[in-house]
Each structure stands twice: as structure tokens, then as C-alpha cells.
């Protein structure tokens, strides 16, 4: 057996040669585990590669039920136990092959999620106020822009939103700089009108979707961090041992020193949910922590995760301020994606003013939006909106009827939502068997693979 050990800090040119000499090896095992597929990866290590591998799996809408991470030195050996969305192991050859390709190429492929054409991406950071998304949608519609995709997270009175737009009059990239500058000014005016002037955390940025655009959900984590959404966690109770408990989501995070190896050991116990591993690894990577060892288990409804980490920029394990900051940021990353509110799924014919109409109906019924996932597939618009009632009295089920009357198509209230409804939720759709799929890169890939399978037959 030949063992090669490399220094963790290597020039990019040398790192590229290492990857060519020792390319990633991916083994997909469907025999050793009865109820899941085991994916084993060994390859040269570098900062951020763990996040890229987790990201590749979650982008395919796969569930990671267990994971074992080991990357002490210049090499990593990681194991992931994965299932599909309905809890089955993966047996389709096309899917298995695609996973192998994604994991081998995750360090070189483009990490875009969302529209792939040259659209303009609008990033908004600010204070979460009722009607803000509705106001933004109306400005975009009034200036002649179509919304092709929108994702928004609201947490601790902060909001981070990424919206992709295109010219309503003609397809293709928007090159009119004066028009884009006008759009940016108008959006800033809307946010200032809602929040008041002088808010330091307010931000509106326009970007090209093909120039340096990072993975959408990772970017949302970064934007929420910039907004300081973790600051509200300081008011929560914490005991003398550094353990932090968030009453609302029963999330426990502890950070302690691991004597003898100069690690910090991070323990997380929280409600299990999809993409939990991605969210935690995302914040560790962006805060410049290296994960040397980790064990992750998901025993629904509780997930337990343990990480042995070091900070790339600091070797001081006695820094209480840094320790507290890491704890707060981990809790915030876990809570941002939590599904607070009643989930309302829509599927209808795409129209330029669609998002504006949906958000206006929600605003006029004195409801607040806590999370949004909206996208366009061909001529069809698909979206999920999580809404809450400010008074805490529950969301009335007639919101589905009101939305359907305004936009048509299918409007479904999620029956498994933890948020209370004034009466039993009903589906307002043309067909009671309608299913509203989520808009994601994973759903697109799986649909293409199904078509290839049919063609092969």
C-alpha cells in the first residue's frame, strides 16, 4: 500500500497536480446496509471540499442519514449513508453514475443553483417587515422585469433574499446599465421607506448570474450572517458549561476544548430535517474552520452531530469570545431554514406579475412570510410560501381559496405543517391528486434521468 501525505497549505498549482495524480475515488455500496446506500470517498483534502461534497448530494435531493468524516492531514476518507426523498436506497444505475460524477467533479464544476441563463441576480439584506417582498415584487413588475426565481429567508427579524430577473420585453441578458442603476435606486428607496434611513445592515446588490455567483443557499447563509441575525440568540439562556439551548427549536450546541490534540469539539443536538448537515458544514467552512473528524447520525426526530475542528486563522482554544461566536452562528444556521408557519404550495401558469399577486394577497390578509422558494420551469411557475399570522391566532384556510382565485392553477396547504390552522386544511386545486413538486436542481436532474431511462427502453 502506498501512502502519500501532503501539507494542508499548498499552492493551487501544486494542488492541481495532486488531484491529477491522485484523483478522487468514489465507491457506492448497496450491499452492506439494508436500508440505505453507502457512499465512500477518498481524495486529497483541501479547505471547503467537505462542503462541496455535501452540497453535491443535497442538490440531488438526497437525504444523508449518517456520515463519518476523517481528514487528518492532506487526505480525507468520508462515508455517507444516503436515501432518496421517500427513504429508499438508490438502485437506478443512472442515478448512481450521476452521483459518482458529481462527487468526483464537485471541486471543479460550477456550483450554481437556480437559473443558468445570464439573468440579473438581486441580493437584498435588511430588516424583516410585513409586505417587504410584495413591495419589491411590485417595483420589479413596474420597471418591466420578470422574476424567474426567488428565494428568501427570514430569521430573528432579518431578511436575506435573492431574486433573479430578466427583461419582460425580450429574452437574453440585460445590458442597459442606466436601467439597472434605476432598478437598484428604486429598490433602495423601497427598503428605506419600510425601515427608515440610517440602517447599516441594509443592502441591495445587483450581480450577473454568470459572474462569480455562488451556490444560492450558501450565499443566503452568508447574507444572513452579514445581517447579524445570530445576535438575537444572545438573549437565550446558557449554562456555565457553554451549552446553549434555544427554547423554540430545542437546539443544543456545545463547544469544548479537546485536550491533547488542540481541537475544539462541537456537539449539536437538534430536530432532524433535510439539509441540516449542509447548513452546519456551510457555517463552519465560511467561518474558516477545518473539520478533521465528524460523526453524524439522524434518528428521527432527533439528529446528533459531533465535529472535531480547528480554526485556520487562530490556534487559541481559550478564546471565549470566539467560542461564543461559533455557538451563536451554528444555532442561527440551524434555525434559518426551520419551517415556521403554514406551508402554501402553488403550481400555475407562469405570468409576469405572479409573484407580485401572491405576495399582495398574503400581505392584504395580514399574514407574514417567513420563507419563500419560487421558480419557473418552462411555462409553469412553482413555489412554496411559509406564512404566519402576526396575532398568533392561526392562518385561516381561506388563504388557499383567495390565492387560487387570484392566480389560478393549484394551491395546496401542507397537511403536515406544524403551524396551526383555524380549520382542517384543504387543498384548493383542480384535481385533489395534484402534487406540487419543489423547484430544485435535484428535481430537474431526476426528471432528465427518467426521460433517459424511458428512451433506453
Amino acid at each position: 500500500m502506498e501512502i502519500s501525505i501532503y501539507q494542508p497549505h499548498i499552492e493551487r498549482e501544486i494542488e492541481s497536480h495532486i488531484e491529477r495524480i491522485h484523483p478522487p475515488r468514489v465507491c457506492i455500496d448497496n450491499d452492506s446496509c439494508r436500508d440505505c446506500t453507502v457512499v465512500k470517498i477518498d481524495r486529497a483534502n483541501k479547505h471547503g471540499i467537505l462542503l462541496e461534497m455535501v452540497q453535491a448530494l443535497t442538490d440531488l435531493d438526497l437525504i444523508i442519514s449518517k456520515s463519518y468524516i476523517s481528514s487528518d492531514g492532506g487526505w480525507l476518507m468520508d462515508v455517507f449513508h444516503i436515501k432518496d426523498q421517500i427513504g429508499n436506497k438508490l438502485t437506478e444505475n443512472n442515478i448512481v453514475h450521476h452521483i459518482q460524477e458529481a462527487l468526483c467533479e464537485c471541486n471543479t464544476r460550477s456550483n450554481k443553483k437556480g437559473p443558468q441563463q445570464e439573468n440579473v441576480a438581486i441580493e437584498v439584506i435588511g430588516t424583516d417587515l410585513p409586505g417587504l417582498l410584495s413591495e419589491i415584487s411590485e417595483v420589479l413588475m413596474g420597471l418591466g422585469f420578470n422574476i424567474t426565481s426567488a428565494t428568501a429567508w427570514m430569521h430573528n427579524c432579518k431578511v436575506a433574499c435573492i431574486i433573479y430577473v430578466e427583461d419582460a420585453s425580450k429574452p437574453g441578458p440585460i445590458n442597459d446599465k442606466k436601467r439597472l442603476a434605476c432598478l437598484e435606486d428604486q429598490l433602495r428607496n423601497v427598503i428605506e421607506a419600510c425601515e427608515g434611513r440610517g440602517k447599516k445592515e441594509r443592502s441591495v446588490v445587483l450581480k450577473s448570474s454568470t459572474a462569480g455567483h455562488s451556490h444560492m443557499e450558501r450565499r443566503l447563509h452568508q447574507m444572513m450572517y452579514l445581517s447579524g441575525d445570530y445576535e438575537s440568540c444572545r438573549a437565550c439562556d446558557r449554562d456555565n458549561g457553554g451549552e446553549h439551548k434555544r427554547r423554540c427549536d430545542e437546539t443544543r450546541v456545545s463547544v469544548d476544548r479537546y485536550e491533547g490534540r488542540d481541537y475544539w469539539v462541537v456537539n449539536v443536538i437538534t430536530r432532524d430535517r433535510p439539509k441540516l448537515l449542509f447548513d452546519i458544514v456551510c457555517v463552519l467552512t465560511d467561518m474558516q474552520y477545518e473539520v478533521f473528524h465528524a460523526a453524524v447520525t439522524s434518528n428521527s426526530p432527533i439528529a446528533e452531530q459531533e465535529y472535531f475542528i480547528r480554526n485556520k486563522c487562530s490556534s487559541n482554544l481559550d478564546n471565549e469570545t470566539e467560542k461564543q461566536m461559533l455557538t451563536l452562528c451554528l444555532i442561527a444556521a440551524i434555525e434559518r431554514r426551520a419551517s415556521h408557519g403554514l406551508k402554501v404550495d402553488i403550481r400555475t401558469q407562469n405570468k409576469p406579475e405572479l409573484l407580485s399577486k401572491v405576495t399582495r394577497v398574503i400581505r392584504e390578509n395580514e399574514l407574514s412570510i417567513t420563507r419563500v422558494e419560487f421558480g419557473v420551469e418552462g411555462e409553469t411557475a412553482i413555489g412554496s410560501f411559509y406564512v404566519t399570522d402576526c396575532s398568533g391566532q392561526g392562518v385561516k384556510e381561506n388563504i388557499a381559496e383567495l390565492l387560487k382565485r387570484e392566480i389560478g392553477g393549484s394551491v395546496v396547504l401542507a397537511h403536515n405543517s406544524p403551524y396551526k390552522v383555524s380549520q382542517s386544511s384543504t387543498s384548493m386545486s383542480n384535481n385533489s391528486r395534484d402534487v406540487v413538486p419543489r423547484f430544485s436542481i435535484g428535481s430537474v436532474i431526476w426528471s432528465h434521468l427518467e426521460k433517459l431511462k424511458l428512451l433506453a427502453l
Side-chain angles (χ1 to χ4, degrees):
M1 178 185 294
E2 181 181 354
I3 301 177
S4 300
I5 300 178
Y6 308 101
Q7 296 298 322
H9 302 290
I10 312 172
E11 294 292 334
R12 179 57 201 160
E13 184 177 351
I14 299 175
E15 186 180 76
S16 177
H17 288 304
I18 293 172
E19 291 170 355
R20 294 176 185 176
I21 297 170
H22 302 283
R25 291 186 297 177
V26 179
C27 173
I28 297 183
D29 177 8
N30 264 321
D31 299 324
S32 60
C33 188
R34 180 176 57 84
D35 58 352
C36 66
T37 298
V38 179
V39 179
K40 305 173 185 177
I41 309 158
D42 65 274
R43 56 161 299 144
N45 190 24
K46 69 172 185 177
H47 181 70
I49 192 62
L50 173 60
L51 174 59
E52 291 178 15
M53 292 188 296
V54 173
Q55 180 177 295
L57 293 172
T58 54
D59 278 354
L60 292 169
D61 288 343
L62 300 174
I63 303 298
I64 301 174
S65 59
K66 290 183 181 179
S67 181
Y68 304 98
I69 310 298
S70 180
S71 58
D72 212 344
W75 199 261
L76 66 80
M77 292 179 287
D78 297 346
V79 179
F80 299 96
H81 292 224
I82 60 175
K83 304 176 182 179
D84 62 20
Q85 286 287 315
I86 58 176
N88 296 328
K89 63 169 60 179
L90 310 177
T91 56
E92 294 289 340
N93 290 333
N94 288 334
I95 300 297
V96 170
H97 178 70
H98 190 85
I99 293 171
Q100 288 175 319
E101 284 190 336
L103 291 174
C104 288
E105 298 174 3
C106 64
N107 59 316
T108 58
R109 68 187 176 92
S110 173
N111 285 324
K112 292 181 183 179
K113 185 177 183 179
Q116 299 298 310
Q117 62 269 31
E118 294 184 0
N119 290 349
V120 171
I122 303 169
E123 295 184 352
V124 177
I125 301 174
T127 302
D128 180 23
L129 295 171
L132 178 60
L133 188 58
S134 176
E135 295 282 351
I136 292 173
S137 302
E138 289 183 4
V139 167
L140 293 172
M141 183 182 67
L143 293 175
F145 292 95
N146 286 342
I147 298 174
T148 59
S149 176
T151 304
W153 289 356
M154 292 77 173
H155 177 243
N156 281 346
C157 299
K158 306 295 183 181
V159 60
C161 181
I162 301 177
I163 303 173
Y164 288 88
V165 298
E166 64 181 7
D167 196 325
S169 60
K170 59 180 180 179
I174 304 170
N175 298 318
D176 189 337
K177 294 183 179 180
K178 290 184 178 180
R179 189 179 176 197
L180 292 176
C182 177
L183 169 61
E184 195 167 348
D185 288 341
Q186 290 274 7
L187 291 176
R188 285 202 177 97
N189 290 337
V190 167
I191 296 177
E192 287 180 356
C194 292
E195 299 183 4
R197 296 183 181 273
K199 297 289 185 178
K200 294 182 179 180
E201 67 271 17
R202 181 181 61 248
S203 173
V204 176
V205 178
L206 270 63
K207 294 182 178 180
S208 167
S209 63
T210 58
H213 173 64
S214 62
H215 186 274
M216 181 183 289
E217 292 179 343
R218 180 176 181 183
R219 180 60 186 151
L220 285 168
H221 275 297
Q222 294 169 338
M223 293 165 65
M224 292 300 285
Y225 173 79
L226 289 173
S227 74
D229 72 319
Y230 58 87
E231 288 288 341
S232 296
C233 294
R234 295 186 188 275
C236 301
D237 294 336
R238 49 180 71 83
D239 61 26
N240 294 329
E243 183 181 89
H244 179 120
K245 180 178 180 181
R246 182 75 172 176
R247 290 192 185 97
C248 59
D249 285 326
E250 299 177 351
T251 296
R252 297 175 182 267
V253 175
S254 65
V255 180
D256 298 296
R257 182 171 181 170
Y258 183 67
E259 298 291 345
R261 293 299 302 272
D262 291 332
Y263 292 137
W264 272 355
V265 56
V266 178
N267 281 285
V268 178
I269 301 176
T270 187
R271 293 180 183 177
D272 190 21
R273 61 165 174 77
K275 299 189 178 183
L276 178 63
L277 177 60
F278 170 82
D279 294 336
I280 292 176
V281 174
C282 190
V283 71
L284 290 174
T285 303
D286 287 335
M287 293 183 73
Q288 299 300 305
Y289 287 97
E290 299 280 4
V291 178
F292 288 87
H293 305 283
V296 175
T297 58
S298 296
N299 297 316
S300 186
I302 301 299
E304 298 182 12
Q305 303 189 5
E306 183 177 56
Y307 299 86
F308 293 82
I309 63 174
R310 291 186 192 138
N311 193 315
K312 288 183 64 180
C313 306
S314 171
S315 58
N316 183 9
L317 298 183
D318 296 321
N319 189 332
E320 287 299 321
T321 301
E322 184 179 343
K323 178 179 175 180
Q324 183 186 31
M325 181 72 166
L326 175 59
T327 303
L328 296 176
C329 290
L330 284 170
I331 292 172
I334 293 169
E335 292 182 353
R336 285 170 193 151
R337 201 195 292 269
S339 301
H340 300 299
L342 177 69
K343 184 181 180 184
V344 181
D345 289 324
I346 69 167
R347 181 187 182 98
T348 187
Q349 182 181 0
N350 183 38
K351 299 175 183 177
E353 71 281 5
L354 180 62
L355 187 60
S356 176
K357 286 184 175 181
V358 172
T359 53
R360 177 175 53 79
V361 170
I362 293 173
R363 180 187 62 183
E364 289 176 349
N365 283 272
E366 299 181 342
L367 301 177
S368 296
I369 299 174
T370 62
R371 200 171 110 206
V372 175
E373 296 175 3
F374 174 83
V376 176
E377 296 179 359
E379 299 297 321
T380 304
I382 301 170
S384 295
F385 299 81
Y386 294 81
V387 296
T388 61
D389 185 277
C390 299
S391 65
Q393 298 300 313
V395 179
K396 295 181 180 179
E397 65 178 17
N398 70 339
I399 187 64
E401 182 179 358
L402 294 172
L403 284 171
K404 181 174 173 56
R405 188 184 305 163
E406 186 71 28
I407 66 172
S410 169
V411 180
V412 180
L413 302 185
H415 291 273
N416 59 351
S417 172
Y419 196 70
K420 63 180 179 179
V421 188
S422 59
Q423 300 177 27
S424 60
S425 299
T426 58
S427 169
M428 297 299 302
S429 64
N430 295 325
N431 189 326
S432 61
R433 295 173 296 174
D434 283 350
V435 177
V436 183
R438 295 184 300 110
F439 178 75
S440 69
I441 190 173
S443 63
V444 174
I445 292 171
W446 281 69
S447 65
H448 282 303
L449 290 172
E450 287 296 322
K451 292 177 182 178
L452 291 174
K453 179 181 175 182
L454 292 172
L455 290 173
L457 294 174

